[in-house]
Amino acid sequence: MEMTSLLARNAEVLVTMDSERRELRNVSIYAEDGLIKQIGPSEELPMHADTVIDLKGQIVLPGLVNCHHHLNQTLTRNIPAAQNNNLFAWLKAHYKIWAGTTPEASRLSVLVGCAELALSGCTTVFDHSYVFKNGNSVDVIVEAARELGIRFHCSRGSMSLGESKGGLPPDSCVEEEPAILEDTQRVIKAYHQSELGGMTRIVVAPCSPFSVTPSLLRDSADLARQYEGVGLHTHLCETFDEERYTLNTYGQRPVEFMESVGWLGDEVWFAHAIHVDDQEISQFASCGCGASHCPSSNMRLASGIAPIKKYMEAGVKVGLGVDGSASNDSSNMMLEVHTAFLLARLKMGLQPPEGPSRYMNLSQSHPKRAKEWMTAREILEVATLGGASVIGRNDIGSLEVGKCADFFSINLHTVDYAGALHDPVAATVFCAPQKAHYTVVNGRVIVDQGRLATVDLPLVVEQHNLASIKLVEGGEVN
Ligand SMILES: [Zn+2]
């Protein structure tokens, strides 16, 4: 195949996330075949390339990494029966609808969810699909992600423990375990690209402790560990309901239970990881387990607030996820960055850490140690480098020679950032979340001047919404 090149010229500011965390002014990026070859002043770079884009007046950041999503849920956003309940009731309102999704509706949901993500600066998506009924398959999902052009980690997730056996999902929504394992192996062989710059990777991801059996968890871990770069993922420590479930069923706390089925390791990351104690945090750190923080979903379902500053201090890998579109109800990574930043500050609390009285002199400020404040640059690091390490990649998350040409730009000179440009990098976090002007994945422009370049988005949205109405009105809500 012939070499393809990209020249992205004249960025006003470029955030590298390299080892020195350099922030450069007035620079350009030159990439060949999806990899960055040069970053520097325009005059030092090649004059021509197959594709040339102009980044004048824009800030460039490494592409955001979404570590937890269920793309099929774009079809079931905002369902009235599930607007005001927490996780277990919310799941029960959705299971049968999801199981009724057609392959074509799934395809449309992947296009819509990934489009929304790309427009919000996301370049790598992990989709935790786990409902494979009604003819659905990883093949449909991967093909749609390829059509859109996003870097994609796809799970062959699963549910095997129906209600009649003590699980949460209805029996009609779960699969047989031998079939799950067989299909998982098939899709690893068919799609997993462990090499540098791989656009598609497979993750083995049983849904949760209350929807699969311990033996499926063990077998899934054994299977994933036979292949290089195949990750392991599940929901964990999301709610107290889940904690009660593992305590009642197995006599173990969730983390203890996962340890007993061989699920602590550096290829493992957990979605949410909210309800953990200090000892479990150090266990994650010593085993190399990562956490995907999903603040909007956790607020929406009133699940709790993950202790991400504690994780970061302890050396636990932390990334951000938008979570399924039905509990967010969006797929906007810049919104997630903004929300995670604010929520980490709220989690820190307003009370002074010490002192005899809770009633303070009003002229005193509340003393908090600097390390307890979440900073704008820290949360950007979580959303880029952090996410990359959580999903097991060292070729994305920063803009450096030899890394993937995955980045996005935002216009700085707009009303949204007016008055905030003394620190344009922090403005992207403090100010209202903005859409990408350009999003580049693997050296290819997929958002071009604010518009999706790879699919006819208005048409896809129209078809998606017809599929959504048909699915929700035809599905069972209960
Ligand atoms: Zn989830």
Side-chain angles (χ1 to χ4, degrees), residues 68 70 235 272 323:
H68 183 71
H70 313 283
H235 295 96
H272 310 297
D323 201 3

Side-chain angles (χ1 to χ4, degrees), residues 360-365:
M360 297 186 67
N361 181 334
L362 287 178
S363 64
Q364 269 185 294
S365 67

Side-chain angles (χ1 to χ4, degrees), residues 121-289:
C122 179
T123 54
T124 299
V125 177
F126 166 57
D127 180 37
H128 185 184
S129 335
Y130 57 85
V131 194
F132 290 99
K133 303 295 281 186
N134 206 22
N136 274 287
S137 64
V138 162
D139 313 69
V140 170
I141 299 168
V142 166
E143 280 311 313
R146 286 181 175 172
E147 193 180 335
L148 198 118
I150 207 142
R151 198 176 297 282
F152 200 64
H153 288 214
C154 185
S155 85
R156 199 324 178 170
S158 53
M159 295 200 295
S160 67
L161 191 67
E163 262 169 341
S164 66
K165 291 182 180 155
L168 193 72
D171 289 359
S172 62
C173 298
V174 307
E175 295 175 86
E176 297 293 332
E177 296 188 354
I180 292 168
L181 291 164
E182 193 183 317
D183 193 50
T184 307
Q185 188 160 34
R186 176 187 72 81
V187 299
I188 293 172
K189 286 181 177 163
Y191 296 112
H192 183 67
Q193 299 168 331
S194 61
E195 69 272 17
L196 170 79
M199 285 292 286
T200 311
R201 289 194 185 168
I202 299 294
V203 178
V204 183
C207 185
S208 63
F210 49 85
S211 59
V212 297
T213 65
S215 69
L216 183 63
L217 285 166
R218 272 192 212 98
D219 292 346
S220 296
D222 289 346
L223 178 62
R225 287 176 181 140
Q226 288 173 29
Y227 298 91
E228 194 196 330
V230 171
L232 277 169
H233 178 75
T234 194
H235 295 96
L236 203 75
C237 303
E238 181 172 2
T239 64
F240 287 124
D241 285 336
E242 175 204 309
E243 189 175 298
R244 262 191 295 277
Y245 180 88
T246 63
L247 282 169
N248 291 339
T249 313
Y250 305 113
Q252 292 169 313
R253 287 175 54 76
V255 175
E256 202 184 352
F257 169 63
M258 294 313 281
E259 186 182 19
S260 75
V261 291
W263 264 70
L264 297 188
D266 72 353
E267 68 281 72
V268 177
W269 80 103
F270 298 119
H272 310 297
I274 297 168
H275 303 290
V276 288
D277 59 27
D278 288 351
Q279 189 255 325
E280 289 161 343
I281 292 176
S282 22
Q283 226 176 333
F284 285 172
S286 59
C287 298
C289 292

Side-chain angles (χ1 to χ4, degrees), residues 368-448:
K368 273 285 174 191
R369 291 175 300 164
K371 68 177 184 183
E372 292 183 57
W373 287 90
M374 177 64 82
T375 68
R377 285 170 174 78
E378 278 176 332
I379 201 67
L380 287 173
E381 186 171 324
V382 166
T384 52
L385 276 179
S389 70
V390 163
I391 65 167
R393 299 193 74 125
N394 56 16
D395 55 352
I396 58 171
S398 63
L399 299 178
E400 298 174 77
V401 171
K403 298 248 177 157
C404 297
D406 288 13
F407 58 88
F408 71 107
S409 71
I410 298 174
N411 282 318
L412 284 170
H413 302 275
T414 62
V415 67
D416 310 275
Y417 291 159
L421 294 183
H422 18 260
D423 185 353
V425 177
T428 63
V429 176
F430 273 90
C431 300
Q434 297 301 302
K435 289 277 167 74
H437 193 62
Y438 286 106
T439 301
V440 172
V441 182
N442 209 38
R444 178 185 182 204
V445 176
I446 66 166
V447 172
D448 187 353

